[in-house]
Every structure is written in C-alpha cells, then in structure tokens.
Amino acid sequence: MDNPKKGTSRRDFLKTSGIAAGALVGGGVIGGLVGYNTKGGNGKLKGGQSGDPASKHEMQTRGLMFFQNPEEFNVLSQATERLFPEDELGPGAIGLGVPYFIDNQLAGNYGSNAKEYMQGPFFAGEATQGYQSRLTRAEIFRQGIALMDQEANKRFDKNFTDIEGGQMDEILTDFQKNKIDMKGVSSEFFFKLLRQATLEGAYADPIYNGNANMEGWKMKGFPGHQMAYINVIEDEKFQVIEPKSISSMQH
C-alpha cells in the first residue's frame, strides 16, 4: 500500500482529479490508473497476498463460478488490485471482492455475450465504436490473463503473482497502450474491459458479490438503495446516511 506521507497514491489521483465523484458509483470507465503509483510497491496487499497461504486458500475456494484454475483467478486478483489498490481510505479490489464479482459475471450473460449480436462480418473497430470482436468476454479475459502471466515469465522469469507491483504496472500499461499481441481482439480493448469490470465490482450492489460490506459506497458517501429520503429531503445540512443494499429490501 502506498504510504500517504510519501508521494501520490492512485486513489489520491482519483480524488484530486474529480474522477472520484458520484459518476463512478455507476461503474463508469476512467483512464490513467495504471502507472500512477509513484512508489512502485509490490501490490500484494492484506487479504490478497500471494505469499499468504490462508488468504490464497480463501481466494481459491470462495464460490468461484467461472475460473476452474486457481492460478488464473490469482492473476486476475492481483491485476485488479493494481487498478484499484488498498490505501488509507479503505480496501482495494481484493478486499472489496472484485475478483469474485468478475468471476460471477464471466460465468453469466456478460461473459457469454448472450444478449448481444455476435455474428460476422468482423472488422477491427474504431476507438469510438462498441464491441467488435468475434470472441466473447469470457474468451477475452481468459486470453488476457494467460498473456499477463506469459509476459511476466518472459520479462522477469516469474509468474505474474510473484513479481513486484511496479512490474505488474509495466505489463498492464503495455496492455493499455496496445503493445501486447492478442488474437481476435486488441490488448487495449481487453484492458478497458478489465478496468471497467474492476470499477463496477468495486461500486456495484453487494448482491452481485462485489463491493463487500458496501465499503466501496462508504468510501464515496453513497447511500445505496434507500426506500425514501422524505425525512431528510428538506434538511439543508449534508446527510450522512448508512448505505443499504438491494438485499435489505427483500426482507
């Protein structure tokens, strides 16, 4: 975790740039996260350290629906933590359960593109165009994760989960800058999918297995899903409201 007294953390970047406003609660896409860590720490944080047998076992066994290979899931976990790191404000992607959110989404319609037109012809799309690949998101994520591990072994002779945080950032930045060759899709597009899914997992309703304990909302001061605001709507004071999940409305 970046030391808040030394340099600038990536979460500071979100705060000071204005990107961390309420728009992100809806899972918007933002840029410039990777590489903003001026410390280059190793990114293996509490609750998700690859060297912690207990946490690693928990990561591998807690309700996975898509990933059958624990190593794939661990690569995904460390990559999301680099995009949304734990710091003095609260938990990062691993602590928020973002990897489980992505795993569950890949196992469903999101991963299979079940509700989207997926017939040819297929051409390389412009940056302003939407989904253009013949591959499903599940196939893109699986290929991207494998390539992250391959790049780590090629560059540093280690698995992705064993390299330093700055080295992870180097690889992720090359995906972002479209410097990694992928089949059927650009690495830039994979990076955008990964980044967007990470943010959505951090701020989605906990009913989808991310945003654990609504900590993502609490960091934003977002109230979640309230039945009504009639008791405070005319009060001019800023209201601090304990967030509620959709699940609380089902009782």
Side-chain angles (χ1 to χ4, degrees):
M1 178 168 63
D2 294 328
N3 187 334
K5 296 181 181 179
K6 297 181 180 180
T8 307
S9 70
R10 282 165 288 177
R11 196 73 59 77
D12 288 330
F13 167 71
L14 292 178
K15 290 188 295 181
T16 58
S17 66
I19 296 174
L24 274 188
V25 172
V29 179
I30 62 176
L33 291 182
V34 169
Y36 203 84
N37 179 6
T38 57
K39 298 275 88 52
N42 77 6
K44 299 184 178 75
L45 307 177
K46 293 180 180 178
Q49 306 184 69
S50 62
D52 180 350
S55 64
K56 191 168 185 178
H57 175 74
E58 179 184 356
M59 288 169 63
Q60 294 176 2
T61 59
R62 179 195 150 196
L64 294 181
M65 298 173 63
F66 174 75
F67 290 102
Q68 302 299 313
N69 179 349
E71 291 307 314
E72 284 184 310
F73 184 70
N74 290 337
V75 170
L76 171 69
S77 298
Q78 293 299 333
T80 61
E81 186 72 23
R82 298 309 298 171
L83 293 172
F84 197 99
E86 177 182 349
D87 67 8
E88 72 277 8
L89 295 180
I94 291 176
L96 289 169
V98 167
Y100 294 99
F101 168 86
I102 296 176
D103 168 83
N104 293 177
Q105 293 299 309
L106 290 175
N109 289 337
Y110 171 84
S112 63
N113 297 63
K115 296 184 178 182
E116 298 168 57
Y117 183 83
M118 292 293 290
Q119 303 302 313
F122 297 98
F123 299 101
E126 299 297 328
T128 55
Q129 292 181 304
Y131 207 97
Q132 298 293 317
S133 177
R134 69 179 67 241
L135 303 178
T136 65
R137 293 186 187 87
E139 292 169 329
I140 292 173
F141 266 84
R142 181 148 276 153
Q143 182 187 170
I145 288 169
L147 285 173
M148 281 193 279
D149 216 26
Q150 287 179 27
E151 287 296 317
N153 277 280
K154 182 170 65 176
R155 301 183 192 195
F156 309 112
D157 199 27
K158 293 180 180 178
N159 294 332
F160 187 84
T161 53
D162 295 323
I163 61 178
E164 297 297 314
Q167 295 170 330
M168 293 181 185
D169 289 351
E170 176 187 315
I171 292 173
L172 288 167
T173 299
D174 281 352
F175 273 90
Q176 183 183 27
K177 293 182 177 180
N178 212 23
K179 293 182 177 180
I180 307 296
D181 290 330
M182 293 186 67
K183 296 179 180 179
V185 69
S186 70
S187 67
E188 178 186 19
F189 186 71
F190 164 65
F191 179 86
K192 288 179 178 178
L193 284 181
L194 174 64
R195 180 178 61 190
Q196 181 171 344
T198 299
L199 292 169
E200 289 176 353
Y203 296 117
D205 191 285
I207 199 170
Y208 299 107
N209 279 338
N211 189 14
N213 196 33
M214 295 176 282
E215 291 295 332
W217 288 351
K218 291 174 183 176
M219 285 187 279
K220 297 289 186 189
F222 180 67
H225 303 282
Q226 303 289 324
M227 293 295 293
Y229 298 94
I230 192 168
N231 60 323
V232 297
I233 197 168
E234 295 185 1
D235 196 326
E236 294 183 0
K237 296 180 180 178
F238 180 80
Q239 301 296 317
V240 179
I241 302 173
E242 189 69 18
K244 290 185 179 180
S245 167
I246 292 175
S247 61
S248 67
M249 301 180 179
Q250 299 176 341
H251 299 297

